[in-house]
Amino acid sequence: MNSHSSGRRSRRSRGGPRRRGNRSRHEHAAAKAPRKTFWQRLAAFFGDGTETRKQTFASRNGAPQPQPQPRPARKPESVEVTSPRLYVGNLSFDATESDLFELFNGVGHVQNAEVVSYRHNQRSKGFAFVQMQTVEEAKRAVEELHDKEFLGRKLVVSGAKSTEHQPRS
């Protein structure tokens, strides 16, 4: 017996229902926004700081997301030079202590140079401290090296804050 003649089987029975041009609600929503991974949804649920649950709900419903406000640029705090210890900021991540030694030795005698880095991976945090021989040499280093281009970035050189009077946190 022929399946076409009996009318019992349709041609679509093997592959399930087919729709032409009509998308289900789920397919339509998936076409709008990329689907998040399990870990992204888990992080959003527990609040990794990227979005709140209301924003998650709004993004599922296609509501426009509020754009995060850009942080205002901060001017580095200028600290008066009262000791031979200097703060060196906006430092290239490729800069080494020997690079700083050479740079500051052009101004005066350097006792110590220390690039501050993360403990877990030893990468530079982008700032350093340089200890000069005298306060006068430190003041001259600030005058000559502040805003100077070094390894592709403009240095911020100022007096280091004293840690003697600050409470430990």
Side-chain angles (χ1 to χ4, degrees):
M1 186 177 240
N2 192 342
S3 66
H4 293 287
S5 63
S6 69
R8 291 183 141 190
R9 286 188 180 183
S10 70
R11 290 197 305 188
R12 286 191 266 161
S13 64
R14 282 183 34 204
R18 291 180 66 191
R19 298 173 190 234
R20 291 189 182 169
N22 294 345
R23 288 183 174 171
S24 68
R25 284 187 295 170
H26 179 70
E27 291 170 336
H28 195 67
K32 284 186 180 178
R35 187 155 168 87
K36 290 185 178 182
T37 65
F38 169 76
W39 295 110
Q40 288 171 327
R41 286 182 280 149
L42 187 66
F45 177 79
F46 285 108
D48 65 345
T50 58
E51 62 182 25
T52 64
R53 288 184 187 150
K54 287 181 181 178
Q55 288 172 331
T56 305
F57 181 75
S59 67
R60 283 188 202 141
N61 292 330
Q65 293 269 345
Q67 294 298 319
Q69 296 295 324
R71 289 194 327 195
R74 289 190 332 184
K75 268 290 207 195
E77 184 179 336
S78 180
V79 177
E80 185 182 347
V81 179
T82 57
S83 73
R85 188 170 160 89
L86 296 174
Y87 165 82
V88 183
N90 198 30
L91 191 61
S92 169
F93 296 111
D94 300 326
T96 63
E97 292 168 355
S98 60
D99 293 334
L100 289 175
F101 235 97
E102 291 175 21
L103 178 68
F104 281 82
N105 257 334
V107 177
H109 183 72
V110 178
Q111 283 186 329
N112 185 26
E114 176 189 359
V115 175
V116 180
S117 58
Y118 292 102
R119 276 190 196 145
H120 65 280
N121 61 7
Q122 303 304 312
R123 282 203 48 196
S124 168
K125 288 188 176 184
F127 66 95
F129 293 99
V130 175
Q131 180 88 22
M132 302 297 286
Q133 188 77 39
T134 64
V135 177
E136 289 75 30
E137 287 177 343
K139 287 180 180 179
R140 191 166 60 243
V142 170
E143 289 172 9
E144 291 185 24
L145 299 177
H146 180 69
D147 274 343
K148 181 181 179 183
E149 184 99 5
F150 180 65
L151 295 177
R153 301 181 82 164
K154 282 193 171 186
L155 292 179
V156 173
V157 182
S158 68
K161 290 182 181 177
S162 171
T163 57
E164 297 168 0
H165 304 293
Q166 294 178 353
R168 294 250 176 204
S169 54

